[in-house]
Structures are given as C-alpha cells and as structure tokens.
Amino acid sequence: LQIHVHAIGDAGVRIALNGYEAARAANGETDNRHHMTHLQLISDEDVPRFGEYNVGATFQPLWAYYDQNAIKLDIPAIGERRTAEMYRIGSVHRAGGRVNGSSDYFVTDMNPLLAIEVGITRQDPWTNAGAPLNPTEAVDLETMIRAYTINGAYTMGLDDVQGSIRVGKRADLVILSRNLFDLPPHSISDTYVTETLFAGETVYQSAE
C-alpha cells in the first residue's frame, strides 16, 4: 500500500514520518512511494527525513505568501515567527526531498502557473506586492516545473508513462503562450495555455 497522509502542524508531520520509518523497519525497502500533503510547518530535524525515507513532500505552493489567512488566522494562532517559517519547500528540496506541487482544489485556485510563481517569489501572484514569506524557502523555476510534472508522475508510479517529454511516453502535455524561462518570475502567472494534448490528441485550443 502507498500511503497518502494529510499533515499540517509539525507534530503531525513528525508522527507521520515516524510511522513511515516504522513501516520501513518492519517491511524493508520497497518501491512504495508514500507522500504527505500540506506540510504547513516542519521542524528542522524532520526536514531531511523526507529524502531519507523517500516520502514525497506534496505542498500547495500557492499558499506560500502572506495571504489573508496568514494575517488573520495564522499569526494570531501561532505567532509571527512560526508563520514566517511556513511551507519549507526550499529546505526540503535542498535536503534531498522530492517536492510535489498540488492545488487542494477546490479550496483554492487549481492553476499551477500561479503556484509555480509563488514557489519562486513567495509573494502574492495577483498583486506582486507585500513582503515575501520567508524568501529563503523559495526555489527555482526548474524545481517548480518538476514538482508539477515528473515528480507527481513518480509519486503515482507513472513516471515511466508520463511526466516528461520522452520517446515512448504518452504525450500528455500543454503548450504555453510564452517560455517561462524567458520571463521575470512575476510574469509567470500571466502566461496561459494555448493547447492541451492528451495521449497525443489535442483536447483544447485557446481562441488565440
């Protein structure tokens, strides 16, 4: 069984990681691709455990800025210091963990381009304003693209079928209006999909 856990606080994250550790000790190394989602707070000592246990870290990067929830709910509940430590995408990535991107739709917007931008800027993608939420946790564009493509495919056990453009893989892909690597980060969310292919067949084309 591949286990999918929702964990928000650092205590919950640690308990889940302890469970994965115990399962590995009991069952040995397997190709199970467990993962954990949300991960709002992760303690320093638990950051490297995602890579050590091959547990995917599934974040919702669109939440990694000072939105109204952070200001009105998180800061009063856990304080400014701990709020500033939320969504440690960069730390997990640098420690060798596999970062996955997710939307938690329909709670928030499912557009991955918005989330990719926030993962890089740690700022509001609509206004580009305000102080970034702990910019040391930002990652680069390539890391964010992998989080929304091959890393997700790996977690589902489908990395040999999809998740990257390779001969022999299924052509599930989108074509964007602009090359993201040619843009300043704050312009990423202004990009749009011009065409979507599923198994090599066009299933969507924009009016443009």
Side-chain angles (χ1 to χ4, degrees), residues 23 33 48-49 55 61-62 71 79 81 94 100-101 108 129 138 143 158 163 167 172 175-176 179 190:
R33 299 172 183 183
R49 298 175 76 193
V55 173
L62 182 55
I71 295 169
R81 180 185 62 81
R94 289 189 294 271
N100 300 323
T108 51
T143 299
L158 295 173
V167 174
D172 294 347
I175 300 171
L176 301 178
N179 182 348
D190 297 326

Side-chain angles (χ1 to χ4, degrees), residues 150-206:
I150 191 64
N151 288 3
Y154 175 89
T155 298
M156 294 187 293
L158 295 173
D159 50 311
D160 60 336
V161 176
Q162 61 191 48
S164 61
I165 302 173
R166 295 285 186 274
V167 174
K169 286 192 176 185
R170 193 169 68 193
D172 294 347
L173 53 95
V174 297
I175 300 171
L176 301 178
S177 59
R178 293 184 290 176
N179 182 348
L180 302 186
F181 288 93
D182 292 339
L183 301 177
H186 286 298
S187 297
I188 290 173
S189 61
D190 297 326
T191 308
Y192 59 90
V193 173
T194 64
E195 187 172 357
T196 303
L197 290 89
F198 181 74
E201 299 292 330
T202 297
V203 295
Y204 166 81
Q205 278 187 315
S206 69

Side-chain angles (χ1 to χ4, degrees), residues 55-100:
V55 173
T58 302
F59 291 94
Q60 288 72 45
L62 182 55
W63 301 348
Y65 73 96
Y66 281 111
D67 64 2
Q68 289 303 304
N69 285 331
I71 295 169
K72 294 182 178 180
L73 299 177
D74 298 329
I75 292 175
I78 63 174
E80 292 188 9
R81 180 185 62 81
R82 300 196 79 209
T83 298
E85 295 173 349
M86 296 192 305
Y87 306 115
R88 301 184 66 181
I89 301 172
S91 291
V92 172
H93 172 66
R94 289 189 294 271
R98 186 180 62 260
V99 172
N100 300 323

Side-chain angles (χ1 to χ4, degrees), residues 107-176:
V107 175
T108 51
D109 200 302
M110 67 185 297
N111 180 356
L113 293 168
L114 287 165
I116 287 170
E117 179 177 311
V118 177
I120 299 167
T121 66
R122 309 282 293 195
Q123 287 181 292
D124 186 327
W126 291 281
T127 67
N128 301 326
L133 177 65
N134 195 352
T136 62
E137 294 298 338
V139 293
D140 61 12
L141 176 57
E142 181 179 351
T143 299
M144 288 306 306
I145 290 177
R146 291 183 66 85
Y148 277 93
T149 54
I150 191 64
N151 288 3
Y154 175 89
T155 298
M156 294 187 293
L158 295 173
D159 50 311
D160 60 336
V161 176
Q162 61 191 48
S164 61
I165 302 173
R166 295 285 186 274
V167 174
K169 286 192 176 185
R170 193 169 68 193
D172 294 347
L173 53 95
V174 297
I175 300 171
L176 301 178

